[in-house]
């Protein structure tokens, strides 16, 4: 007969504790877990998910509205200096059509994602899009932005225009590793990333962050600290996935140092499971990068703790041009194909799609009560 968690000796708080109780050394042990210990970890995280957020999956229709970026992150396929990328910018009408698709299909939430551009034109365009999307879909949609580092006034303006959530990955909470992943040109500062996360939280967003798992130079110690960083920062949502190398990036030179793909995949599942136990009521995305390694990758993540999926509703003709990493799945599908495929996959994971529900982060609700404000 199987035991209840925790498998490794002395790890966690046993059956009576399901959150907050994992120390640095507990987490390190869990990230190393294999075989029966790993199975028990996943059973535990699945039970925590069911208890705190239910076996339900929320959709966020993803619109990758532009791949134009002013930055040069060393791991990213759409970095500014990659001249092999065909740059695109969806028209406002294309974005609005995609938003209507999300509303008509009861996705209830949208993610507007782009490369990073800090200009007055870009700021105003996003503000205008937010206003139009809300107006033209009858305020049915929650909107998440993922448009990188901006100044606090910009975050505030977008929040005032109806952006409820913001995703800004820290990528690694280790400042030394962060430096190795970014050019030293004054435009890619760890300090600024942290300040932006603070500014987002202060502005009143539901704040999401995330890390890449299996990077060159990264240790299990780093990943353990990433989990504790997310807990200490009090994040509301997370999107973390395996690092997948792109041949047109400088970091590709270190591909020989990488863990095999299957190990990066398993490590990502363990990170999700640990975070679900540490932060039972946050929203955790099953990222597309998982599916690049394992066809059932997202379903596996849902089974053990994730509760958000971002179906891509970017018009199909642009999808091949938003490749942060190579072998990205589903780039040849349209929004309708993507929906049908996900319905089957989520049923396989014995979860239910929460159509028509915003699925705000419960953690944010609790945090917000603490601040004495309302969203
Ligand atoms: S990770 Fe983001 S900011 Fe960095 S180059 Fe890619 S799109 Fe631009």
């Amino acid at each position: 007969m199987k035991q209840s968690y925790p498998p490794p000796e002395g790890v966690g708080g046993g059956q009576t504790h399901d959150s907050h109780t994992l120390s640095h050394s507990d987490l390190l042990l869990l990230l190393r877990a294999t075989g029966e210990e790993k199975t028990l970890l996943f059973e535990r995280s699945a039970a925590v998910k069911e208890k705190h957020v239910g076996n339900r999956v929320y959709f966020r229709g993803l619109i990758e509205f532009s791949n134009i970026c002013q930055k040069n992150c060393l791991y990213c396929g759409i970095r500014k200096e990659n001249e092999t990328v065909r740059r695109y910018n969806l028209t406002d009408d294309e974005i609005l059509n995609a938003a209507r698709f999300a509303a008509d299909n009861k996705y209830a939430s949208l993610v507007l994602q782009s490369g990073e551009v800090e200009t007055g034109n870009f700021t105003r365009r996003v503000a205008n899009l937010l206003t139009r999307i809300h107006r033209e879909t009858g305020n049915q949609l929650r909107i998440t932005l993922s448009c990188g580092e901006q100044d606090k006034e910009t975050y505030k303006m977008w929040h005032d225009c109806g952006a409820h959530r913001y995703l800004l990955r820290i990528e690694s909470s280790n400042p030394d590793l962060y430096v190795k992943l970014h050019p030293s040109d004054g435009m890619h500062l760890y300090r600024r990333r942290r300040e932006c996360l603070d500014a987002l939280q202060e502005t009143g967003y539901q704040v999401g962050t995330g890390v890449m798992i299996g990077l060159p130079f990264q240790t299990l110690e780093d990943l353990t600290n990433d989990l504790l960083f997310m807990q200490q920062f009090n994040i509301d949502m997370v999107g973390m996935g395996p690092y997948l190398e792109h041949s047109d990036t400088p970091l590709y030179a270190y591909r020989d140092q990488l863990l095999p793909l299957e190990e990066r995949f398993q490590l990502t599942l363990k990170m999700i499971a640990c975070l679900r136990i540490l932060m039972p009521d946050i929203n955790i995305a099953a990222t597309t990068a998982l599916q690049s390694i394992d066809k059932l990758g997202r379903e596996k993540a849902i089974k053990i703790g994730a509760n958000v999926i971002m179906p891509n509703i970017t018009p199909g003709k642009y999808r091949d041009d938003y490749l942060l990493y190579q072998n990205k799945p589903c780039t040849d599908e349209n929004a309708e194909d993507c929906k049908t495929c996900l319905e089957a996959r989520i049923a396989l994971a014995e979860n239910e799609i929460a159509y028509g529900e915003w699925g705000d982060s419960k953690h944010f609700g609790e945090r917000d009560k603490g601040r004495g404000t309302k969203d």
Side-chain angles (χ1 to χ4, degrees):
M1 196 175 75
K2 287 184 175 164
Q3 319 155 38
S4 279
Y5 172 85
E9 211 182 330
V11 167
Q15 295 182 40
T16 54
H17 297 230
D18 62 5
S19 64
H20 316 302
T21 53
L22 298 174
S23 67
H24 185 280
S25 55
D26 292 338
L27 289 167
L28 207 46
L29 272 175
L30 291 172
L31 292 183
R32 289 193 180 118
T34 55
E36 180 77 354
E37 289 179 348
K38 187 177 72 174
T39 305
L40 293 169
L41 165 65
F42 290 165
E43 285 176 0
R44 182 63 190 158
S45 60
V48 171
K49 173 185 165 183
E50 185 171 11
K51 178 175 171 192
H52 290 270
V53 293
N55 283 335
R56 321 194 70 210
V57 175
Y58 299 98
F59 273 5
R60 278 75 170 103
L62 173 64
I63 308 175
E64 294 161 334
F65 68 92
S66 168
N67 65 356
I68 298 167
C69 186
Q70 67 190 17
K71 293 265 204 75
N72 263 313
C73 305
L74 301 178
Y75 49 83
C76 178
I78 63 169
R79 61 199 301 273
K80 184 180 176 187
E81 283 175 13
N82 184 2
E83 289 174 359
T84 66
V85 175
R86 192 172 45 157
R87 302 288 165 179
Y88 73 84
N89 207 345
L90 261 62
T91 64
D92 288 3
D93 282 345
E94 286 172 321
I95 296 170
L96 283 157
N97 281 340
R100 275 186 219 104
F101 174 89
D104 292 348
N105 286 277
K106 303 206 175 317
Y107 281 15
S109 292
L110 270 189
V111 179
L112 292 179
Q113 186 168 65
S114 68
E116 190 173 304
V117 178
E118 272 191 273
T119 63
N121 278 346
F122 183 78
T123 302
R124 285 187 292 278
R125 180 176 189 222
V126 172
N128 183 45
L129 280 167
L130 289 164
T131 307
R132 285 190 64 191
I133 290 170
H134 282 307
R135 192 171 60 225
E136 295 184 27
T137 59
N139 288 314
Q140 287 181 58
L141 297 168
R142 284 290 210 217
I143 304 182
T144 306
L145 291 178
S146 177
C147 301
E149 295 174 2
Q150 305 285 338
D151 60 36
K152 196 166 180 185
E153 291 67 41
T154 300
Y155 287 147
K156 179 156 187 336
M157 181 199 280
W158 291 344
H159 190 257
D160 291 346
C161 291
H164 310 95
R165 312 173 181 139
Y166 204 103
L167 283 175
L168 182 65
R169 285 187 179 201
I170 188 78
E171 304 299 3
S172 169
S173 64
N174 176 347
D176 296 331
L177 180 53
Y178 193 92
V179 164
K180 292 186 177 132
L181 306 175
H182 297 92
S184 311
D185 59 1
M187 282 179 64
H188 298 77
L189 300 175
Y190 178 81
R191 192 185 65 240
R192 172 129 206 259
R193 185 63 58 104
R194 291 288 305 262
E195 287 167 359
C196 284
L197 283 167
D198 286 337
L200 288 164
Q201 215 170 46
E202 286 159 18
T203 304
Y205 284 94
Q206 297 174 44
V207 180
T209 193
V211 294
M212 286 180 287
I213 296 159
L215 286 159
F217 323 116
Q218 188 180 47
T219 63
L220 285 186
E221 184 86 15
D222 289 327
L223 290 170
T224 301
N225 288 331
D226 288 340
L227 290 168
L228 293 171
F229 165 81
M230 291 188 242
Q231 186 186 38
Q232 281 153 15
F233 188 78
N234 218 355
I235 58 160
D236 305 304
M237 338 180 274
V238 72
M240 56 185 174
Y243 165 66
L244 298 172
E245 63 273 31
H246 191 301
S247 58
D248 295 327
T249 62
L251 213 60
Y252 193 67
Y254 301 96
R255 63 192 176 283
D256 295 344
Q257 299 183 20
L258 296 173
L259 291 172
L261 280 174
E262 175 58 18
E263 282 184 42
R264 280 179 256 168
F265 178 79
Q266 290 299 330
L267 202 45
T268 304
L269 292 185
K270 286 186 268 184
M271 287 285 284
I272 289 173
C274 287
L275 192 61
R276 175 56 73 200
I277 296 168
L278 269 182
M279 304 189 76
D281 58 355
I282 63 169
N283 282 341
I284 301 181
T287 56
T288 312
L290 283 163
Q291 198 189 335
S292 300
I293 299 180
D294 180 326
K295 283 197 171 107
L296 297 177
R298 287 191 290 185
E299 294 82 330
K300 289 179 181 173
I302 285 166
K303 274 209 151 201
I304 56 102
N307 68 330
V308 165
I309 278 207
M310 303 199 286
N312 200 332
I313 56 171
T314 311
K317 65 180 175 179
Y318 296 110
R319 292 195 196 176
D320 272 337
D321 300 316
Y322 204 96
L323 298 183
L324 305 186
Y325 52 84
Q326 284 164 322
N327 303 319
K328 185 174 169 186
C330 308
T331 57
D332 56 349
E333 290 184 353
N334 62 35
E336 196 60 60
D337 294 338
C338 197
K339 175 172 180 257
T340 311
C341 161
L342 280 173
E343 282 174 353
R345 288 165 175 276
I346 290 163
L348 268 181
E350 295 167 3
N351 271 239
E352 172 197 346
I353 302 171
Y355 279 122
E357 293 180 35
W358 283 332
D360 284 330
S361 163
K362 286 190 172 177
H363 189 79
F364 175 78
E366 292 304 310
R367 193 163 70 71
D368 203 37
K369 272 188 217 154
R371 294 184 340 149
T373 57
K374 281 213 156 59
D375 185 28

